[in-house]
Amino acid sequence: MFKSILLPTDGSQLSERATQTAIEFAKIHGARITAVSVVQPLPFVPLADAVVLPNAGVFDQEVRRSVQAGLDKVLAAASAAGVECEAVMGEAISPYEVIVKTAEERHCDIILMASHGRTGLNKLFLGSETQKVLAHTHLPVLVLR
């Protein structure tokens, strides 16, 4: 039934646990995994006075290095388990856009992702990428906590 799994990852411990679940899920279903992670651009507040901003080039390079390290962990874990896996690095202000687009482009059957379970003001202001994915995809989504 599920032959192609999309696994969004942000390199967090919760995402690492989701990776293990996705690998077991893939083994049960004989599926392949597409791991996706998103580079978000340097947030910029143009109206702030006397703000010290990091060098945008250095920031971008470090973020990309971190994102690639997270993807490499997924690739290594899948390889060790004998599960076919590919990695995709996307770029967007809103990660859910890349997640949904990648799932469509790669013809995935299911999205398996971790939820950080934000509550209160964090949820109100930061939102939930998981909720946004659920709202913008027609695919089944398995949410792990």
Side-chain angles (χ1 to χ4, degrees):
M1 178 177 204
F2 300 113
K3 296 298 178 193
S4 181
I5 301 164
L6 185 77
L7 174 67
T9 182
D10 63 5
S12 67
Q13 283 185 323
L14 193 55
S15 286
E16 288 181 19
R17 289 197 316 261
T19 296
Q20 293 307 313
T21 301
I23 289 170
E24 291 303 316
F25 191 86
K27 287 167 71 174
I28 290 167
H29 292 277
R32 65 179 173 80
I33 295 173
T34 299
V36 63
S37 196
V38 181
V39 174
Q40 292 178 278
L42 175 66
F44 178 68
V45 181
L47 301 177
D49 288 332
V51 173
V52 177
L53 295 175
N55 179 303
V58 172
F59 177 85
D60 184 66
Q61 188 177 38
E62 288 301 315
V63 168
R64 287 180 186 280
R65 187 173 305 145
S66 176
V67 165
Q68 188 61 54
L71 289 170
D72 288 345
K73 285 181 182 180
V74 175
L75 289 169
S79 177
V83 172
E84 182 183 343
C85 185
E86 65 177 324
V88 174
M89 184 185 304
E91 186 171 343
I93 293 171
S94 299
Y96 82 90
E97 295 171 343
V98 172
I99 294 167
V100 171
K101 182 179 178 185
T102 303
E104 291 171 0
E105 290 176 350
R106 304 296 170 124
H107 306 288
C108 294
D109 305 312
I110 188 169
I111 300 171
L112 193 154
M113 64 189 299
S115 174
H116 289 279
R118 290 188 179 103
T119 59
L121 290 177
N122 277 341
K123 185 173 184 178
L124 178 64
F125 290 117
L126 298 176
S128 164
E129 292 305 314
T130 304
Q131 287 177 326
K132 292 173 189 170
V133 168
L134 286 165
H136 290 91
T137 187
H138 65 280
L139 295 172
V141 180
L142 177 58
V143 180
L144 304 169
R145 285 193 155 203

